[in-house]
Amino acid sequence: MRKKTFLNTFRIVWQILDKKGKFDFVITFVACALRSLFILSLPQAIACITAKALGEQTLFYGIPLPDSLSFGAVIAICFGILAFLGIFATWARAHRSQLGAKVQNCYREKMLSYILTPRKNMDLKKSNGEIIFIADSSSSAVDEFLDTFMIYVFPHLVSAVLAFIYIVSINVYIALGSLVICIFVIVLSIIRSKLDKRCFIKMDIANSKVSNNINDCVNNLNFITFINSQFHELKLLKREHKAYKKEVDKRAVIWVAYWGFLHLIEYAFMGVSIYLFAEKVGLSALGINTIVLLISYLNNLFSPLNDMGHNINILVSTGYRVNRLYEFEPKENEVFDPGEDRFENKLLRKEKISKIDMRKIEIEIGTLHRENLNVSFEAGKITCIVGTSGCGKTTLLGCLLGIKEYKSGEIIINNSYKVKSLFYNSAKVFLTLQNGCIFDRSVIDNVCYPNHEPNALARKNIEKFKLENLIERTNDCQKINLEKVISGGERKRISFVRAISRLGDVYIFDEPTNDLDSENVEKVIKVMKQLKKKNIVIVISHDKRVTSISDYIFDM
């Protein structure tokens, strides 16, 4: 796990951008730095106009304006410069927004690529609700982080540095005092952010649990309504809210102490500085132009400090969330290894898979431990795997497909090729999973997945399993959540049609008749009988109608 630092957040942004994106990032960064001129120009204009009104020499960034200029002309020049810089600052802000959208999209793509990276037993080690919360909050945090730094923190820091240089040229002691206070306040802000971050992480954990709670409620809404457990779910939600509020209260104490101390130091120093300036004016050692600039620049120097706590808090919290990208990055020991049998699989791709032997397979995943599993699958036969719930039927097929790991054993294809799994031959294998595996897209998109248009075989199967009415009923997938409007049987029919609408060598069906009426069960059985003539058909089922047509039953 990489350390979640402020600089590492910029490293993430830089890495996920392409060449054009990196160029835009640099241009935006420079443009936002130049916004500091707009920040400093307002006190320059005020000082210039005030000096002209009092009959003193007018200076704009140290450049003397001709004495022949009228008061109105000076105002026009000053506001003309401010208008130009204001337009530039607005453009810089708009450009930063465009960059933010681009970075956000790249960030989402990177996170999804990490999530989709095959890993051992497909284990992300997080609940669905937590994954959704992290993905949403982290992608929005990228834009907020860049906005805070580029629009608020960086330009104000540049203007503060320039203001400090100007103050040094007028009074070294005040400048040194300002520097000491600035360093002290920055150190104080960092200490506060360290204490604050602990609270923030606990708040994020509470928010993740809330998100998971809501996700569970949405997925099990019918059950919750039926057993009338709404109050129980609300009670769980309130418990997480209580944990969240506890951390908010801790942060409030930290912030009150921080702000009180900060303002006490700032106002005391400003009071001393103004007194010294007033004394200089009384001795006619400084002109009104210089005094106005000094007061304004002192305020400009402390302005970032006033917002430092708030901005550092935003940068720390958003930076922490942006860095959560690495929580999904597969570690070297987690990356799924489908086996170093690419050469044999390459040869195998040219042949039809007609026989699969799984010999002395040992499975050890979590609490599941099975050993010495031996089974053969042959073309021309339907092999049915049966056994008690949790005995490892689906896991065994997962090992065959390459999405689960087995501890020892071997897989032999066509009596010739020793492979670790069928992972590299997935184009020849089609399957239906127990839960149906339905995407929140149109029925056609689900049937044809991952393609877009149905082939002739798919159209024939859509008609055979009477999916036309379902397609018509759910045609507007933008307004209808498919998962919410289809039944369990319809899920099964969609997933079954998806599997049989492609020509392959191996067909795997996990509980294909669950939730189906007798008419559709007969259709499924008829299709499996047709498929077995030239292909390997593997079924997991407890349905006697399926076991009765099986050529071999493997009891686990």
Side-chain angles (χ1 to χ4, degrees), residues 139-305:
S139 59
S140 60
V142 177
D143 188 53
E144 190 178 357
F145 178 88
L146 290 176
D147 190 65
T148 301
F149 187 80
M150 288 187 166
I151 300 301
Y152 298 103
V153 175
F154 190 54
H156 282 88
L157 283 177
V158 172
S159 66
V161 170
L162 295 175
F164 176 76
I165 293 170
Y166 180 79
I167 294 168
V168 168
S169 67
I170 303 300
N171 191 306
V172 176
Y173 297 109
I174 292 177
L176 288 174
S178 303
L179 183 62
V180 170
I181 291 174
C182 287
I183 293 171
F184 179 77
V185 170
I186 290 171
V187 170
L188 187 66
S189 297
I190 292 171
I191 293 170
R192 182 210 54 76
S193 69
K194 292 286 185 184
L195 297 172
D196 194 53
K197 186 177 178 181
R198 296 175 187 173
C199 300
F200 176 79
I201 292 173
K202 290 180 180 178
M203 287 166 63
D204 226 30
I205 292 170
N207 278 330
S208 294
K209 289 181 179 178
V210 168
S211 181
N212 197 51
N213 181 288
I214 294 170
N215 184 67
D216 283 345
C217 290
V218 171
N219 290 337
N220 302 288
L221 193 58
N222 291 337
F223 181 70
I224 290 169
T225 303
F226 180 72
I227 67 171
N228 199 24
S229 62
Q230 296 93 331
F231 292 107
H232 172 72
E233 294 302 325
L234 287 170
K235 188 177 179 181
L236 292 177
L237 191 67
K238 286 179 180 178
R239 185 178 68 187
E240 299 307 329
H241 283 167
K242 190 175 180 181
Y244 182 85
K245 186 178 181 302
K246 182 180 177 182
E247 299 306 319
V248 170
D249 291 341
K250 284 182 184 177
R251 292 181 76 199
V253 172
I254 295 169
W255 276 84
V256 167
Y258 170 79
W259 282 114
F261 196 53
L262 177 64
H263 286 315
L264 184 67
I265 295 170
E266 180 196 348
Y267 294 150
F269 184 76
M270 286 287 284
V272 172
S273 301
I274 290 170
Y275 171 77
L276 293 174
F277 291 158
E279 189 178 38
K280 291 275 188 183
V281 172
L283 297 173
S284 299
L286 292 174
I288 192 66
N289 189 304
T290 305
I291 291 298
V292 171
L293 279 179
L294 277 170
I295 299 297
S296 299
Y297 278 18
L298 263 179
N299 180 62
N300 207 286
L301 183 63
F302 284 108
S303 179
L305 296 180

Side-chain angles (χ1 to χ4, degrees), residues 453-506:
E453 296 296 328
N455 56 29
L457 185 57
R459 282 191 285 268
K460 180 182 175 183
N461 287 322
I462 286 171
E463 185 179 348
K464 180 187 290 186
F465 283 87
K466 297 180 180 178
L467 294 179
E468 303 100 322
N469 293 336
L470 180 61
I471 291 169
E472 187 176 341
R473 193 176 89 226
T474 60
N475 191 42
D476 192 355
C477 62
Q478 298 300 318
K479 296 181 180 178
I480 294 177
N481 185 333
L482 189 63
E483 288 237 31
K484 300 296 180 184
V485 297
I486 62 174
S487 66
E490 288 169 333
R491 289 174 66 96
K492 282 292 183 183
R493 280 191 284 153
I494 291 170
S495 62
F496 189 77
V497 169
R498 178 171 56 211
I500 64 174
S501 295
R502 294 165 179 79
L503 299 176
D505 296 345
V506 182

